[in-house]
Amino acid sequence: MKRTPTRKHTKDQRVQRSNIRRAQASGKRRARAQSQKVAATGVADVPPSREETAVLPSAARRWFIGLTLAVAIAGVAIVALQHAPHWLSSSAQAQATADAGLLEATRAAAVATADANRVGIVSGHRGHDSGAVCDDGLTEAALNFTHATRVAEVLRAEGYIVDVLDEFDPRLRGYRARVLLSIHADSCARINDLATGFKVARAVHSRAPEAEDRLVACLTARYKARTGLRFHANTVTRDMTEYHAFGEIAPETPAAIIETGFMYLDRPLLEGRPEVVAQGITEGLLCFLRGEAP
Ligand SMILES: [Zn+2]
């Protein structure tokens, strides 16, 4: 059923229309004021953008950026200070390592120089047994020691560093030198008239055959020339060519063994003129050390 408009109803409608008109008038006034302001200043009072409303006002923003930068710089400085001792110690450590390396190189060079200037002389049987013994008690060990110490004296006078080693000297293990010579003498038994002369040998399985052959040649030639003894080649035994020290010393150390003579027939030379024996040995060694032709 259709409702008939009441007086109250029509009054409400009038109030509504009046409110709309007031609102429209107010909007027009605002628009007018805005256009007047634009005309006067050329700047519209546009609403702030979303970005601008999201951040702080410009003065506060500058403060904030300044503070952030200050904190970041302080942070970097603190980290730097915290790590500085480490960097310093790393640097000091690197320096220490370099110094140690240099020291080691210097030491190695000094050792190499010393090795290059070093001569080893094994005094046969010394510190182990007497070796051959004569009826009157003269021992090979005693003769060998006399010869070895004299050789050492002469070589030292020539500027070499000389080690006089025992037969089984612990220093023989890995021994490094320009040359090693073991000094022995032959039996004191009266074998026959041929039991006279000297012998020189190197390892049967030489690790430096060229150098050791030259060493043997030098010793043989110079000792023979100095002493007048003959080379007793046919009595070179395995005791000589498989001499124990050959396998103990450093492979780069050339080595040989000499039997200076027979203690019975050659006794006048070995015991009576030890300086000649020593001179013959020394000249043989110097021939080798100086690279001279045998
Ligand atoms: Zn011996």
Side-chain angles (χ1 to χ4, degrees):
M1 190 168 67
K2 194 176 177 183
R3 263 180 91 182
T4 310
T6 61
R7 281 183 63 193
K8 168 105 173 39
H9 191 185
T10 54
K11 188 185 173 187
D12 286 348
Q13 285 173 331
R14 276 199 307 274
V15 169
Q16 268 182 351
R17 279 196 295 272
S18 162
N19 285 345
I20 289 164
R21 275 195 301 275
R22 268 204 303 278
Q24 285 170 340
S26 167
K28 282 174 186 169
R29 274 198 308 277
R30 274 208 305 277
R32 212 160 35 241
Q34 176 70 10
S35 64
Q36 280 165 358
K37 187 172 178 182
V38 169
T41 66
V43 176
D45 223 4
V46 289
S49 70
R50 286 183 73 177
E51 268 177 53
E52 282 170 327
T53 51
V55 297
L56 296 165
S58 64
R61 203 159 66 232
R62 280 197 297 274
W63 272 104
F64 178 76
I65 291 165
L67 190 65
T68 305
L69 276 173
V71 168
I73 290 164
V76 168
I78 288 165
V79 169
L81 283 172
Q82 280 174 343
H83 285 79
H86 174 66
W87 293 337
L88 287 172
S89 71
S90 290
S91 166
Q93 213 166 11
Q95 187 59 46
T97 305
D99 286 349
L102 189 66
L103 197 68
E104 178 57 30
T106 307
R107 197 193 66 80
V111 167
T113 305
D115 289 348
N117 217 25
R118 184 177 296 277
V119 174
I121 302 292
V122 175
S123 182
H125 301 276
R126 183 176 154 80
H128 184 252
D129 64 355
S130 57
V133 186
C134 300
D135 291 342
D136 65 351
L138 175 67
T139 68
E140 181 200 341
L143 273 183
N144 294 339
F145 187 64
T146 299
H147 300 149
T149 49
R150 280 176 179 268
V151 168
E153 263 173 48
V154 180
L155 287 176
R156 282 176 190 138
E158 293 288 334
Y160 291 94
I161 298 163
V162 185
D163 299 315
V164 176
L165 304 160
D166 284 352
E167 183 65 73
F168 293 97
D169 202 299
R171 287 174 290 176
L172 283 170
R173 192 171 190 81
Y175 186 74
R176 294 164 60 95
R178 280 287 301 285
V179 64
L180 177 92
L181 179 68
S182 183
I183 298 177
H184 282 255
D186 256 316
S187 165
C188 202
R190 182 173 180 144
I191 303 162
N192 56 38
D193 290 347
L194 296 175
T196 173
F198 73 98
K199 293 166 285 196
V200 185
R202 48 98 160 149
V204 64
H205 301 298
S206 174
R207 291 174 289 187
E210 226 168 276
E212 292 186 339
D213 281 345
R214 200 170 67 76
L215 173 60
V216 169
C218 270
L219 282 163
T220 302
R222 303 301 170 96
Y223 189 77
K224 184 178 181 179
R226 177 60 56 191
T227 61
L229 287 182
R230 68 186 184 94
F231 188 81
H232 206 280
N234 60 350
T235 54
V236 172
T237 62
R238 284 175 61 183
D239 282 349
M240 293 183 76
T241 58
E242 294 178 13
Y243 182 58
H244 69 90
F246 292 157
E248 297 171 28
I249 59 175
E252 60 269 33
T253 303
I257 181 170
I258 185 169
E259 299 272 6
T260 52
F262 284 82
M263 284 173 67
Y264 185 77
L265 289 182
D266 301 327
R267 184 167 173 169
L269 170 75
L270 300 179
E271 190 186 27
R273 298 164 67 204
E275 72 285 356
V276 175
V277 173
Q279 192 60 33
I281 294 170
T282 306
E283 286 168 358
L285 288 171
L286 288 173
C287 159
F288 173 77
L289 291 165
R290 292 169 178 169
E292 293 170 3

